[in-house]
Amino acid sequence: MCRGITTAEILDCGLKGRAQPAPANMKAIVSILFCLSFPCVMARAGNPVPFISNPLVPTSVAPGSGALTLTVNGGGFVSGATVNRNGQALVTAFVSNTKLTAAIPASDTANAGSAEITVTNPGVGVRSNMRQFLVAAPATNVYYNATPNSPFGDGYWSPSGLFDFTGNGRLDLWISVLVPQYSALVLGNGDGTFGSPVYSFIPGWNVYFVGDFNGDGKLDVIASPEVGPPSAQIFWGNGDGTFTAGPTVPIPSGFVPVGTTSSNGFPVATTCDYNGDGKLDLLIEDAKTGIIQVLWGNGDGTFSPGPTTSLPSGFSPVGCWDFNGDGKPDLLLASGFAVSYSSALDVLLGNGDGTFTPAPGSPINVGPASLLGIAVGDFTGDGKLDVAVPNGQYGIIAPIGQNTPPLAILLGNGDGTFTRVPNCCGTPGEEGFNAVAGDFNNDGKLDLAVSIVCNDLITFDLPSRTYPPLYVETFLGNGDGTFTPTDYSIILPDNVAGLSGPVGFYGGDLTGNGKLDLIVGDEYDYGDDNYGISSLLQTPPPAQLPDFTIAPASASATVKAGASVTDNINIASVGGFISSGVSLALTGCPPDATCSVTQPQGVIIATAYASVPLTIATAACSTSGAAAGRQAPAPPSPMSRLPLMLWLALTAFAAAEYARRRLRGMRSSPVLFLLPLAVAFAIGGCGAAQPPRPRQPPPCVGGTPAGIYAVTVTATSGSITHSTAITLAVQ
């Protein structure tokens, strides 16, 4: 087939030959013969199949916004390209091969809803991938409710992609059934629910590619068996959810199709127009040799061998996007699929002829990552594609307390290289498994919905059958490549503890209200017969906004001074509340007492609870510094003063008697003066025999006074604060 040199170049070569003198004519003839002699480099026919990058600008507007200009970024656009809304052409302006603008009339933004936006190039029947343009009021948070029949599926159902196979504006669901192994299509009912499979493929076959391979405006699929010799077959879409078997696709020995279905009709993994001839091509891989090969689409369901490319060791293709802005599809490669905590990305830049050139700066180490669940989009609005990489690994549970957040954000530099956003995003211990990029809160900025397995509860706990928990959390985009996690999550069915993670994660407006909804598969486990699919619909704020409660296990306690008492503080999520943690503070501790509470560690999440101890240690009074054991002196006794009084009286008597005898000339005896002393000593001795007073207790200093106290515990998480109190009686 002719590739690389256009028909115009060949004609130009001949015309120049007619206008030149003989030597030049000979030169022109040689040029024409050269062109005709090498069909491998001859003209490519027509224009390329266009593709749209995420997001549309604006991706969402409020109802009643009036007329506006919609900017569509992508690649493969040519002059005369048309932007279509629900299949109807809009007035379109060509800006470049990577940018178009289209006029959206006021009538299309009057009411809430969504529209399917595609691009077609002149002369090309194959439309681009589809993006939904949303009309809905902006919100500060995002809330979900599962449909009443969720999870649904007849055992072992796994979602494989959302597409509109019937053209009725409703997203349909591609499923893979694990036991027995086959693929099937279930049509959307427009309310977030889905019917029974309308078409099932051969048991053992799975769909690898979805696209319009013959340009009739209807989506076709290419299926391949999971086991056995390599082969593939195209099935033509009939536009009503059914298919008609088409040609087989020859697959060289050792090669297998590359790609899995993805959401919103985005080019299915590696299904792109690699040479710009207006026909979708395929990519196949020999994993043993690390070689990929392009199969050129002929537009009729047949394919021709194209060039091969050697991949870096250990890498495989994830999908095709335009990372350097030249309008040609590039390949994103990944290594370390679910085998270790060392993963990397690599970029091969497309040359437009089915060959690829390694981008500078590759590979990019991303550490632990779920490379099958990455999301690609322009997170900063600079026109360059960025990448969100979840950090989880299927089948491998991260160590508790690991320091890796659930998301790594790589900002594109516009040349196939990336700069990692530091410290982004989420709480360490949450393992992200799948990410979907979209404007979930309708504020005009790309957000991320992430399916997560939380292995970092530590303090917070769940019943054993729901550990570790599976849930979906929304990270709202700040427009600069960083994301802020909301305080709301929705728990997913978790039938068997400790395994893998959510499988299959897709976003789209399932109900036509302009709000993005989610499709997510249950935990991957062959031994669980309840494996199924959940449909999560955006809803208005719940009556009970996300919050948490705090309460003591016992509202009151009694303790003697000098003793301790312990109570438990219970914390629980309410209304889907999720937070990176709760901080506790204490006030009202009694004097000379020590109050302490254990700080909860880990993520608080719906249905989780924590019970952390609060300890109050009181103090007894102290006698330190007092004269302990000293005998108190006895107060003076009336008997202790009696000897002196008698001695004085007798002495006075003796003196008077002596004087009287002298006046009369009588002789005085010495006994007269000794008598008072003898009597005094006799009586004094009786008084001294009085026993001393008993010992007195020393004075008590300090300690926790007796009384009634209110010890208050205040819990803070984000912008929410709650308090509770314990009544403490100290005796």
Side-chain angles (χ1 to χ4, degrees):
M1 295 185 65
C2 298
R3 310 288 176 187
I5 300 177
T6 65
T7 305
E9 288 171 335
I10 298 177
L11 293 176
D12 184 54
C13 181
L15 292 174
K16 285 181 180 178
R18 295 174 188 168
Q20 300 295 326
N25 281 338
M26 290 299 298
K27 198 174 193 179
I29 292 171
V30 171
S31 297
I32 293 173
L33 291 175
F34 179 85
C35 292
L36 296 175
S37 300
F38 294 91
C40 61
V41 294
M42 281 183 60
R44 62 186 185 188
N47 293 315
V49 175
F51 56 90
I52 303 176
S53 297
N54 193 17
L56 303 170
V57 182
T59 188
S60 177
V61 296
S65 296
L68 58 89
T69 298
L70 181 69
T71 299
V72 180
N73 296 301
F77 304 149
V78 300
S79 180
T82 301
V83 176
N84 308 291
R85 178 187 180 276
N86 293 335
Q88 301 299 312
L90 299 173
V91 176
T92 304
F94 174 78
V95 179
S96 69
N97 68 335
T98 61
K99 180 177 293 187
L100 303 172
T101 60
I104 300 289
S107 58
D108 290 344
T109 64
N111 302 307
S114 59
E116 297 180 353
I117 302 297
T118 57
V119 173
T120 52
N121 276 337
V124 178
V126 182
R127 295 175 298 175
S128 72
N129 57 298
M130 180 268 290
R131 292 289 172 198
Q132 287 184 312
F133 176 63
L134 308 173
V135 180
T140 57
N141 208 340
V142 180
Y143 308 97
Y144 293 98
N145 272 328
T147 56
N149 66 330
S150 291
F152 60 90
D154 188 16
Y156 303 105
W157 280 27
S158 174
S160 297
L162 285 172
F163 308 90
D164 183 1
F165 276 91
T166 63
N168 62 359
R170 299 175 181 175
L171 292 179
D172 308 312
L173 180 62
W174 230 180
I175 63 170
S176 296
V177 182
L178 301 180
V179 180
Q181 201 164 52
Y182 66 92
S183 290
L185 176 65
V186 290
L187 300 182
N189 296 321
D191 59 359
T193 64
F194 298 86
S196 300
V198 293
Y199 191 93
S200 298
F201 287 88
I202 305 169
W205 284 52
N206 273 329
V207 168
Y208 274 82
F209 304 105
V210 175
D212 182 2
F213 293 104
N214 61 356
D216 66 354
K218 303 171 185 176
L219 289 178
D220 313 309
V221 299
I222 293 179
S224 180
E226 286 290 306
V227 295
S231 63
Q233 184 173 3
I234 192 165
F235 293 84
W236 301 119
N238 297 320
D240 58 359
T242 64
F243 300 85
T244 300
T248 59
V249 180
I251 304 291
S253 176
F255 283 80
V256 294
V258 175
T260 55
T261 53
S262 63
S263 62
N264 298 336
F266 195 86
V268 177
T270 46
T271 302
C272 289
D273 181 2
Y274 293 106
N275 63 343
D277 66 352
K279 300 163 187 174
L280 290 179
D281 308 312
L282 303 182
L283 204 63
I284 57 177
E285 177 187 14
D286 185 338
K288 292 183 179 179
T289 62
I291 293 176
I292 57 172
Q293 182 178 21
V294 174
L295 298 183
W296 300 122
N298 298 321
D300 59 359
T302 64
F303 296 85
S304 303
T308 61
T309 300
S310 294
L311 300 178
S313 178
F315 284 83
S316 292
V318 174
C320 52
W321 292 271
D322 180 14
F323 290 106
N324 63 351
D326 64 356
K328 303 170 185 176
D330 308 317
L331 289 181
L332 182 63
L333 312 177
S335 72
F337 289 103
V339 295
S340 71
Y341 276 91
S342 177
S343 302
L345 297 176
D346 208 335
V347 174
L348 296 182
L349 301 177
N351 298 318
D353 59 359
T355 65
F356 303 89
T357 301
S362 292
I364 308 130
N365 181 31
V366 292
S370 176
L371 298 178
L372 291 177
I374 65 172
V376 177
D378 182 4
F379 303 144
T380 64
D382 62 357
K384 303 168 185 176
L385 288 182
D386 313 307
V387 179
V389 185
N391 79 346
Q393 290 278 309
Y394 282 106
I396 303 176
I397 298 298
I400 291 178
Q402 63 141 319
N403 294 322
T404 304
L407 282 173
I409 305 299
L410 307 177
L411 299 183
N413 299 317
D415 59 357
T417 66
F418 300 88
T419 300
R420 186 164 184 166
V421 176
N423 304 318
C424 192
C425 299
T427 301
E430 295 181 305
E431 291 189 73
F433 279 86
N434 300 274
V436 173
D439 187 3
F440 287 92
N441 66 340
N442 299 91
D443 67 348
K445 303 172 185 176
L446 274 187
D447 311 309
L448 294 170
V450 184
S451 62
I452 293 175
V453 173
C454 183
N455 194 42
D456 198 13
L457 292 176
I458 303 181
T459 300
F460 294 92
D461 202 3
L462 295 166
S464 59
R465 288 286 292 174
T466 56
Y467 182 86
L470 312 180
Y471 56 92
V472 171
E473 187 175 5
T474 307
F475 293 74
L476 299 182
N478 300 316
D480 59 358
T482 63
F483 296 82
T484 301
T486 65
D487 63 356
Y488 171 80
S489 68
I490 183 168
I491 293 287
L492 300 175
D494 182 16
N495 299 307
V496 175
L499 300 173
S500 303
V503 174
F505 195 46
Y506 304 95
D509 181 7
L510 302 178
T511 64
N513 65 354
K515 298 282 188 178
L516 290 180
D517 310 304
L518 294 169
I519 290 290
V520 60
D522 194 4
E523 190 176 36
Y524 185 84
D525 175 38
Y526 279 103
D528 179 11
D529 57 5
N530 291 322
Y531 182 83
I533 299 171
S534 292
S535 178
L536 310 180
L537 306 183
Q538 267 206 64
T539 59
Q544 173 64 65
L545 291 174
D547 202 345
F548 69 92
T549 61
I550 176 173
S554 299
S556 61
T558 300
V559 64
K560 289 185 177 181
S564 298
V565 64
T566 299
D567 199 354
N568 287 323
I569 302 300
N570 299 325
I571 306 166
S573 168
V574 177
F577 182 78
I578 183 172
S579 175
S580 59
V582 177
S583 176
L584 301 180
L586 294 174
T587 56
C589 193
D592 284 344
T594 301
C595 299
S596 62
V597 64
T598 300
Q599 294 294 331
Q601 300 295 319
V603 179
I604 177 175
I605 189 172
T607 74
Y609 59 88
S611 185
V612 295
L614 164 67
T615 301
I616 304 173
T618 62
C621 61
S622 172
T623 58
S624 175
R630 177 182 300 173
Q631 178 175 323
S637 171
M639 293 297 295
S640 66
R641 293 190 292 268
L642 184 59
L644 177 61
M645 294 172 62
L646 290 174
W647 181 81
L648 290 175
L650 291 175
T651 301
F653 169 77
E657 183 64 22
Y658 175 77
R660 185 182 67 79
R661 286 177 178 271
R662 288 290 302 266
L663 288 176
R664 294 181 179 183
M666 297 175 65
R667 186 176 178 183
S668 297
S669 173
V671 179
L672 181 64
F673 292 96
L674 294 176
L675 180 62
L677 291 175
V679 173
F681 278 112
I683 298 176
C686 294
Q690 181 180 354
R693 295 189 62 186
R695 293 175 182 267
Q696 299 296 316
C700 198
V701 179
T704 304
I708 304 298
Y709 301 92
V711 179
T712 300
V713 184
T714 301
T716 302
S717 181
S719 60
I720 302 177
T721 297
H722 291 298
S723 296
T724 189
I726 297 173
T727 301
L728 179 68
V730 179
Q731 297 177 341

